[in-house]
Amino acid sequence: MTLLTRPVTNIDRLKTFFNHSVIYALLLIGALWALFPFAWMVLTSLKGYTEAYAVETFLPTRWLFSNYIEAWNTVGHFPRYFVNTLFIAICTVAGVLITSTLAAYAFARMEFPGRDVLFLILLATMMVPFEVTLVPNFILVRNLRWVDNYAALIIPWSASAFSIFLLRQFFKSIPQELFDAALIDGCSHLRFLFSIVVPLSRPALITSGLFTFLASWNSLMWALLVTNKPEMRPIQVGMAAFIGEAGTQIQLLLAAVTISVIPVILLYLILQRWFIEGIATIGIRG
Amino acid sequence: MADSTPMVQASPIRANALPRTRRRIEWSAYLYILPAYVIIAVFHIIPVFYAIYISLHKGPINKFVWAGLAHYERALGGQEFWNSLITTFTYAGLTMPFTISLGLFFAYLLYQPFVKARGLFRAIFFLPYVVSTVGSSIVWAWIFDPRSGLANWLLRTVGIQPLRWLIEPSGIGELIAKNMGWTIPAWANGPSLALVAISIFSIWQAMGYDIVIFLAGLTNIPSELYEAARIDGASGWSLFRHITLPLLAPTTFFVIVISVIGSLQSFNHIFTMNHAAAQSLGGPLGSTSTLTVYMFDQLYTHSNYGYATAIAILLSLIILAFTLFNFRVLGRRVHY
């Protein structure tokens, strides 16, 4: 179209084809690098004990799907770990979404003394790394007799300054006119919030719910401190404890790991867009 | 009265603050923020002050005795704290150059307009970052297993002596020198092979995150710039070198800061891989004891609550410095 373009020759086509092939090949290598540990995990989890430790064959000679049943029944209190974690994660997500929606609405749409100062304090708490509050919270939870209690794993994490911040930004982008119109019609704040704001804010709610779920499902350090009884452990602590036990069989451990990552991978497959956009937005906005 | 204010001056008042009567105060707002604020105050605000108090005391829980600045003196005056800080930055130095260059590399490949299945590739690259660290660390500890691991299988296949990976405290420089029959000075020993193995895991895990961030940064570069440069005769490498790279500088800077902070806080995978390799926390020989690992060891293994909290506060000051630096530099670089 410009003066610089010249007719496309066969050589050009060949060059383009070559370039494209190289780029696809490189992308494929990258994808294999990202995926091979998962493949190795699943393959090992299906082998017999001797075969798993021999590494002579890549594929199992006999595919022992029964390893999964055995892992479920013998890796520590695995069913308990799984249900504990699911329960804790769901409660935490519900808690974060409810408390954050209410607070974010007040910060975005209501007028009250001290609003800006209170919001700034919230923002400041996001700068404090989790390690600082670790010991004080441990002592507090101990004194509340919450050790080995679900409350210790749910309540401290069921409000999030970050989610409030994210939702407030979103709520602010909802046009003021919509709000004024609803108010003139005699709509209360609470009704306006739940019948108009919340449905409109699905992306922000999904993003903050998703990242809360992930953080809860994957958390380790806090759970290590506040759980002693094996049956109270969440999945990550349970698996970490099981590695150290004598006579651990790798194929069973890896079957357990596979089961433990399935919920996260399923969630990822369903909500992939929100995962990646969430990271990109959060990342860029700091 | 609007005439009396000069139009050129930007109004500090928000755009929607039209000449309407001031909205009335709604006291019910406090009820809306109450649930969130109570939890955040109890578990995230007050504990900061309590942490300062704890860091100035020693002894068992609920029987604290005043210790003054003893914990801070022990940290800053002793070897252990500085060693773990050095380990942390060594770990960051082993990981970051690879995650950033690979992240940028794959993001740039994915960004090419002709690439189909971009979403699929991005999803695959991002997968290691999503999966729980404990799980993937167990898998990698198995890959690094000295007897039955995939890593040593690979080494044997290409004719190299198998290594001890996660249980090897010797430096990589030392190992290479020994293999070659050289003698090298102690400073050239380098980081332990165990730390290198953990870094390989981190590169695998963090690469996808960097790809996503770089891809977002690339998408933000206006395409007119590329078109203009192409008309001027630029292509291929020079487009990348003179347009992409400079315009990605803020993104790169952000990734660096996030990675350093991530290294300072790294814990889950080190804990799990130490454990899986039957090493004590931060082992072998303390060579994988990053700052957070060191803090947790003091807390969990030694019950030194005051000292662990003092380390956590020092850690938070380092992170704060990086965060503020990030804001400052990014704030300056927003406008070109």
Side-chain angles (χ1 to χ4, degrees):
Chain A
M1 272 154 267
T2 59
L3 291 171
L4 289 167
T5 43
R6 51 193 176 77
V8 179
T9 63
N10 278 339
I11 306 255
D12 287 334
R13 285 206 190 93
L14 206 66
K15 254 164 106 179
T16 315
F17 177 75
F18 180 74
N19 280 339
H20 289 195
S21 308
V22 168
I23 287 177
Y24 276 118
L26 290 169
L27 285 173
L28 213 60
I29 292 172
L32 286 176
W33 162 249
L35 287 179
F36 89 89
F38 296 109
W40 191 234
M41 165 182 84
V42 174
L43 288 176
T44 310
S45 75
L46 292 166
K47 287 176 179 171
Y49 175 77
T50 16
E51 201 181 7
Y53 283 92
V55 231
E56 298 307 326
T57 52
F58 279 109
L59 297 177
T61 41
R62 279 183 57 221
W63 299 69
L64 296 172
F65 291 98
S66 58
N67 281 348
Y68 281 78
I69 299 164
E70 204 180 333
W72 182 263
N73 291 326
T74 58
V75 174
H77 299 64
F78 199 74
R80 266 306 285 266
Y81 300 159
F82 197 84
V83 175
N84 283 348
T85 318
L86 206 58
F87 176 73
I88 292 161
I90 289 170
C91 290
T92 311
V93 170
V96 165
L97 290 184
I98 293 167
T99 57
S100 308
T101 304
L102 290 172
Y105 181 79
F107 283 121
R109 283 276 174 247
M110 292 162 105
E111 203 74 50
F112 56 96
R115 183 184 68 179
D116 295 344
V117 175
L118 287 170
F119 189 68
L120 272 178
I121 294 172
L122 272 191
L123 289 188
T125 63
M126 282 164 53
M127 309 270 279
V128 179
F130 147 83
E131 287 82 0
V132 172
T133 53
L134 191 67
V135 176
N137 279 337
F138 172 61
I139 295 175
L140 175 63
V141 159
R142 230 184 69 131
N143 289 341
L144 288 168
R145 304 202 178 283
W146 278 2
V147 171
D148 283 327
N149 188 323
Y150 289 122
L153 295 155
I154 297 168
I155 293 173
W157 314 110
S158 52
S160 147
F162 174 70
S163 290
I164 296 173
F165 175 71
L166 194 76
L167 290 173
R168 175 185 170 268
Q169 296 303 97
F170 209 89
F171 292 173
K172 266 187 153 340
S173 69
I174 292 168
Q176 179 71 29
E177 291 74 31
L178 209 61
F179 176 67
D180 290 340
L183 269 194
I184 288 164
D185 289 345
C187 186
S188 73
H189 274 302
L190 217 53
R191 230 185 100 202
F192 179 68
L193 172 58
F194 285 104
S195 55
I196 295 173
V197 176
V198 165
L200 280 175
S201 310
R202 206 175 295 145
L205 289 168
I206 291 179
T207 304
S208 90
L210 188 60
F211 285 95
T212 308
F213 184 90
L214 271 190
S216 178
W217 188 271
N218 296 342
S219 80
L220 176 69
M221 204 198 280
W222 175 248
L224 276 171
L225 283 178
V226 298
T227 54
N228 292 325
K229 286 192 196 134
E231 64 268 24
M232 285 309 295
R233 285 173 183 155
I235 204 155
Q236 312 301 344
V237 181
M239 286 194 308
F242 185 75
I243 325 168
E245 279 169 28
T248 298
Q249 300 192 17
I250 191 68
Q251 78 282 12
L252 297 183
L253 180 61
L254 290 180
V257 171
T258 308
I259 299 171
S260 84
V261 300
I262 283 172
V264 173
I265 291 185
L266 278 182
L267 206 63
Y268 177 59
L269 291 179
I270 299 165
L271 300 175
Q272 203 217 105
R273 191 161 69 89
W274 277 280
F275 262 93
I276 289 172
E277 278 171 15
I279 284 284
T281 340
I282 293 157
I284 296 306
R285 290 194 185 151
Chain B
M1 293 309 288
D3 305 352
S4 59
T5 44
M7 291 297 289
V8 281
Q9 208 179 331
S11 163
I13 302 161
R14 258 183 271 119
N16 63 357
L18 292 168
R20 119 182 10 143
T21 49
R22 205 181 145 72
R23 299 239 302 277
R24 67 193 169 84
I25 291 170
E26 285 162 295
W27 298 102
S28 63
Y30 292 110
L31 286 178
Y32 284 67
I33 66 167
L34 189 71
Y37 231 95
V38 167
I39 294 171
I40 289 173
V42 171
F43 293 102
H44 304 280
I45 299 174
I46 299 167
V48 174
F49 300 99
Y50 191 28
I52 297 170
Y53 171 89
I54 295 168
S55 77
L56 301 172
H57 289 74
K58 61 183 179 201
I61 293 178
N62 297 340
K63 290 192 186 70
F64 283 137
V65 185
W66 175 252
L69 291 172
H71 296 312
Y72 293 95
E73 279 162 16
R74 178 179 160 197
L76 299 175
Q79 270 300 309
E80 287 179 330
F81 173 82
W82 293 109
N83 281 343
S84 61
L85 198 62
I86 290 168
T87 306
T88 307
F89 283 108
T90 311
Y91 166 66
L94 284 169
T95 317
M96 232 167 33
F98 292 98
T99 52
I100 289 180
S101 49
L102 287 172
L104 181 57
F105 178 72
F106 283 113
Y108 197 63
L109 293 187
L110 278 182
Y111 178 64
Q112 299 310 306
F114 68 86
V115 171
K116 298 210 175 62
R118 183 179 295 132
L120 179 68
F121 275 118
R122 197 176 58 167
I124 292 173
F125 287 141
F126 196 58
L127 190 64
Y129 187 76
V130 176
V131 165
S132 76
T133 311
V134 174
S136 51
S137 307
I138 292 174
V139 177
W140 274 89
W142 171 238
I143 288 171
F144 286 130
D145 188 89
R147 272 181 300 138
S148 320
L150 210 51
N152 274 348
W153 172 85
L154 192 70
L155 291 186
R156 274 194 297 267
T157 312
V158 295
I160 302 174
Q161 284 254 314
L163 298 167
R164 297 197 300 159
W165 298 108
L166 291 168
I167 56 173
E168 179 61 83
S170 311
I172 44 166
E174 198 182 343
L175 288 171
I176 294 169
K178 210 162 75 185
N179 207 23
M180 298 290 188
W182 303 332
T183 36
I184 52 162
W187 57 261
N189 285 346
S192 78
L193 184 64
L195 191 65
V196 172
I198 288 173
S199 305
I200 293 173
F201 166 82
S202 295
I203 294 166
W204 173 79
Q205 191 193 38
M207 194 180 82
Y209 176 84
D210 288 8
I211 291 174
V212 168
I213 300 285
F214 275 123
L215 206 51
L218 284 168
T219 334
N220 284 340
I221 297 177
S223 53
E224 296 84 42
L225 282 174
Y226 286 108
E227 282 156 27
R230 266 199 207 97
I231 288 169
D232 290 345
S235 67
W237 171 250
S238 66
L239 276 182
F240 180 78
R241 170 70 190 81
H242 296 289
I243 306 242
T244 316
L245 222 48
L247 285 170
L248 276 184
T251 313
T252 314
F253 183 76
F254 170 80
V255 171
I256 292 174
V257 171
I258 286 288
S259 309
V260 172
I261 293 176
S263 301
L264 284 162
Q265 292 189 286
S266 59
F267 174 77
N268 288 9
H269 56 293
I270 302 179
F271 175 90
T272 312
M273 289 171 106
N274 285 162
H275 208 52
Q279 297 298 306
S280 57
L281 192 52
L285 298 182
S287 70
T288 61
S289 179
T290 60
L291 206 50
T292 303
V293 172
Y294 177 53
M295 182 216 78
F296 189 77
D297 190 41
Q298 287 300 321
L299 163 65
Y300 196 64
T301 321
H302 304 283
S303 299
N304 287 335
Y305 298 103
Y307 183 53
T309 310
I311 297 169
I313 288 174
L314 292 172
L315 171 77
S316 75
L317 293 178
I318 300 170
I319 290 176
L320 190 69
F322 275 100
T323 313
L324 293 179
F325 186 54
N326 185 22
F327 284 157
R328 237 182 109 81
V329 176
L330 277 189
R332 204 184 296 146
R333 290 299 295 267
V334 166
H335 311 285
Y336 298 99

